[in-house]
Amino acid sequence: MDTDILGDDAYETVVKGAIAKLPKQQAALVVYIPTNINAIRSATQDGHYCSAANSPLTLVARVVEAGYVADASNR
């Protein structure tokens, strides 16, 4: 059974909208997504702190990393 309920274009649109609301280098975004999308890669290259996870274990690791990044940027 296909668990991908949205197409790649829909994921791109949602993630781009979330990234547009983030202040650069002042917040970290972790996206739990079943596919790779260009929005996260291009936002990271543009100076945003973004990361993607595609499994529960990866999600936990990415959130911990994001916490360290956010804490370091606020000091």
Side-chain angles (χ1 to χ4, degrees):
M1 177 177 221
D2 186 16
T3 58
D4 187 8
I5 59 172
L6 297 175
D8 287 351
D9 291 339
Y11 286 123
E12 290 280 348
T13 302
V14 170
V15 172
K16 282 181 183 178
I19 291 169
K21 296 177 183 179
L22 291 177
K24 273 190 188 174
Q25 298 182 353
Q26 294 180 0
L29 174 69
V30 178
V31 180
Y32 185 63
I33 190 164
T35 184
N36 290 326
I37 58 172
N38 293 326
I40 295 172
R41 188 177 307 111
S42 62
T44 302
Q45 292 172 350
D46 193 33
H48 288 282
Y49 297 132
C50 298
S51 184
N54 61 1
S55 73
L57 186 58
T58 307
L59 177 63
V60 171
R62 297 292 183 257
V63 170
V64 170
E65 290 170 352
Y68 281 117
V69 169
D71 182 57
S73 68
N74 289 326
R75 288 180 183 239

